[in-house]
């Protein structure tokens, strides 16, 4: 990660890999002089004349001693002839970045708090409790029962009003009706409270269609796969997954991230890189309201261990292994990742403030907002309340049966 001057020159570097190199330098008391490969060469690839470019080429020509660049441990292309690795300091998956789809219409939020099976169960209950109440209120067991002798339409509308928590104030007198109505109200209160609470979440959180999330779906799409340099294209071509191998035919390496993101933001392709790289990239691309405009596809591809690079047979390896191991055990790698995201956020805010102070068009809101994913309530979530209702219906029907059987003896 870079901070640059107005003329484009690098003022400062930061990021987990830079902090790692600085920490090792501090432990062994040496100074660092950063050298970057020529544009587009990056980690390094075997050229047509049999030589290596990029970082591997710097090691092969003994122009570099240590390499840091989100470096994956791999022997791809025979690079380990010139490049060795230190003790690994983390593991990353290779994932795909895609444009985030437009949010779903807000009116759909009214149906989203419950899953489809939950809505079907609620509808089934609403259709059944009316007839149950009608049956329970037929026999004239107790004189003065307000719910007895009512029509089927009345029983249906009465239970419908209970579901709206606004029923008529008719208190049942018979035990069976009391049990049934009490359990019905317990069920209704829990269901309606659950719906209301989850509805609030869906009204305040933007819902986005799932879209492409697997390698198979990505392969079946028309998206082009972009990356910085050919490294990831070679990995796709060597993959065991047939869909990943198929994506290598649509792989295009580009020299800089800006041109890649132009294709991703326009919806023409996806960007393949390590997951932490993609998380950082997402943090830099948000709407004025703070919502991300990019997302990571759920199915990732080929995990790698990460390490520092160095020349093959380098005498520095033993000391570097020891230093990296100590840093990993201290938990500094994850700390530096969080620090990098925080610094990126601060830089973005400063850039927005500077833009606002030099423009008459007003400032954009750069506040980051964590997008929570609201979950529709399924039958698994609400199974308890339906069990309560079934128990209530069973008990009330049993009491009703007892009332009918012993009706004559009670009258005597």
């Amino acid at each position: 990660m870079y901070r640059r001057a107005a003329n484009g020159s690098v003022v400062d570097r930061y990021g987990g890999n830079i902090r790692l190199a600085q920490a090792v330098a501090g432990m062994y008391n040496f100074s660092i002089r950063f050298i970057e490969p020529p544009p587009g060469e990056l980690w390094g690839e075997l050229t047509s004349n049999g030589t290596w470019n990029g970082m591997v080429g710097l090691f092969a020509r003994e122009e570099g001693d240590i390499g840091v660049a989100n470096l994956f441990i791999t022997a791809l292309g025979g690079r380990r002839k010139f490049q060795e690795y230190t003790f690994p300091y983390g593991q990353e998956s290779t994932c795909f970045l895609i444009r985030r789809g437009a949010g779903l219409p807000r009116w759909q939020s009214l149906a989203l708090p419950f899953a489809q099976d939950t809505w079907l169960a609620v509808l089934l209950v609403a259709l059944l409790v009316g007839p149950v109440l009608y049956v329970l209120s037929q026999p004239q067991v107790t004189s003065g029962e307000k719910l007895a002798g009512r029509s089927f339409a009345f029983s249906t509308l009465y239970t419908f009003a209970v579901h709206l928590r606004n029923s008529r104030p008719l208190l049942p007198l018979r035990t069976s009706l009391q049990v049934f109505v009490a359990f019905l109200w317990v069920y209704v209160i829990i269901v309606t409270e659950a719906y209301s609470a989850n509805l609030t979440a869906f009204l305040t959180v933007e819902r986005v269609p799932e879209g492409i999330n697997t390698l198979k779906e990505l392969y079946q799409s028309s998206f082009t796969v972009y990356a910085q340099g050919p490294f990831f294209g070679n990995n796709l071509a060597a993959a065991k997954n047939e869909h990943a191998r198929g994506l290598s035919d649509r792989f295009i390496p580009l020299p800089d991230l800006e041109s890649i993101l132009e294709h991703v933001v326009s919806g023409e392709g996806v960007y393949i890189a390590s997951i932490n790289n993609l998380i950082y990239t997402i943090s830099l691309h948000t709407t004025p309201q703070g919502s991300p405009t990019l997302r990571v596809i759920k199915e990732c591809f080929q995990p790698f261990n990460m390490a520092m690079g160095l020349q093959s047979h380098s005498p520095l390896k033993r000391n570097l292994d020891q230093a990296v191991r100590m840093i990993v055990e201290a938990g500094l790698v994850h700390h530096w990742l969080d620090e990098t995201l925080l610094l990126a956020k601060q830089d973005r805010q400063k850039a927005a403030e500077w833009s606002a102070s030099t423009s008459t068009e007003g400032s954009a809101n750069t506040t980051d907002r964590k997008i929570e994913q609201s979950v529709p309530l399924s039958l698994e979530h609400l199974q308890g309340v339906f069990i309560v209702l079934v128990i209530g219906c069973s008990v009330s029907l049993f009491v009703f049966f007892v009332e009918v059987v012993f009706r004559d003896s009670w009258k005597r």
Side-chain angles (χ1 to χ4, degrees), residues 101-333:
L104 295 174
R106 291 289 184 176
W107 62 264
Q108 295 184 8
S109 299
L110 296 176
L112 292 177
F114 287 164
Q116 184 177 6
D117 56 351
T118 307
W119 278 119
L120 292 175
V122 171
L123 178 61
L124 182 63
V125 169
L127 294 175
L128 291 179
V129 290
V132 172
L133 179 63
Y134 178 73
V135 171
L136 292 176
S137 62
Q138 286 307 299
Q140 302 296 327
V141 178
T142 303
S143 60
E145 174 62 66
K146 297 180 179 179
L147 291 177
R150 301 284 182 168
S151 65
F152 181 80
F154 175 87
S155 299
T156 302
L157 291 175
Y158 181 88
T159 55
F160 179 73
V162 171
H163 279 77
L164 298 179
R165 297 171 65 172
N166 190 28
S167 65
R168 295 184 61 183
L170 298 177
L171 299 179
L173 300 178
R174 286 177 38 214
T175 304
S176 58
L177 284 173
Q178 290 175 345
V179 172
F180 174 77
V181 172
F183 274 91
L184 178 60
W185 269 104
V186 171
Y187 158 80
V188 167
I189 290 174
I190 295 176
V191 169
T192 53
E193 287 293 337
Y195 175 82
S196 300
N198 216 27
L199 177 62
T200 301
F202 279 96
L203 289 174
T204 55
V205 176
E206 184 182 18
R207 298 292 296 175
V208 179
E210 280 292 317
I212 295 175
N213 271 315
T214 66
L215 289 173
K216 181 178 180 181
E217 293 171 346
L218 183 58
Y219 172 74
Q220 292 173 345
S221 72
S222 59
F223 284 118
T224 303
V225 180
Y226 297 96
Q228 290 181 276
F231 175 81
F232 290 109
N234 294 334
N235 276 280
L236 287 171
K240 294 182 180 180
N241 185 295
E242 60 178 339
H243 301 120
R245 289 198 305 273
L247 289 172
S248 66
D249 296 332
R250 305 205 301 265
F251 177 82
I252 298 178
L254 295 175
D256 60 282
L257 181 60
E258 288 74 16
S259 56
I260 292 174
L261 292 180
E262 288 179 4
H263 293 287
V264 176
V265 171
S266 64
E268 301 173 8
V270 297
Y271 170 40
I272 180 173
S274 64
I275 182 65
N276 281 333
N277 181 303
L278 300 183
I279 291 173
Y280 173 79
T281 304
I282 289 175
S283 72
L284 300 180
H285 293 78
T286 60
T287 65
Q289 291 72 36
S291 300
T293 59
L294 305 172
R295 67 178 180 89
V296 178
I297 293 176
K298 290 183 179 179
E299 184 177 3
C300 291
F301 160 76
Q302 198 168 8
F304 285 95
N305 287 321
M306 296 184 301
M308 301 176 73
L310 62 161
Q311 297 177 17
S312 292
H313 311 295
S314 172
L316 303 175
K317 178 171 170 53
R318 180 178 178 181
N319 287 340
L320 289 178
D321 284 345
Q322 181 181 6
V324 172
R325 185 179 287 108
M326 294 172 63
I327 290 171
V328 171
E329 293 173 351
L332 290 174
V333 176

Side-chain angles (χ1 to χ4, degrees), residues 389-407:
L389 183 61
V390 171
I391 293 174
C393 290
S394 302
V395 173
S396 60
L397 288 173
F398 174 76
V399 175
F400 172 74
F401 175 75
V402 172
E403 290 174 341
V404 171
V405 171
F406 295 98
R407 178 179 55 186

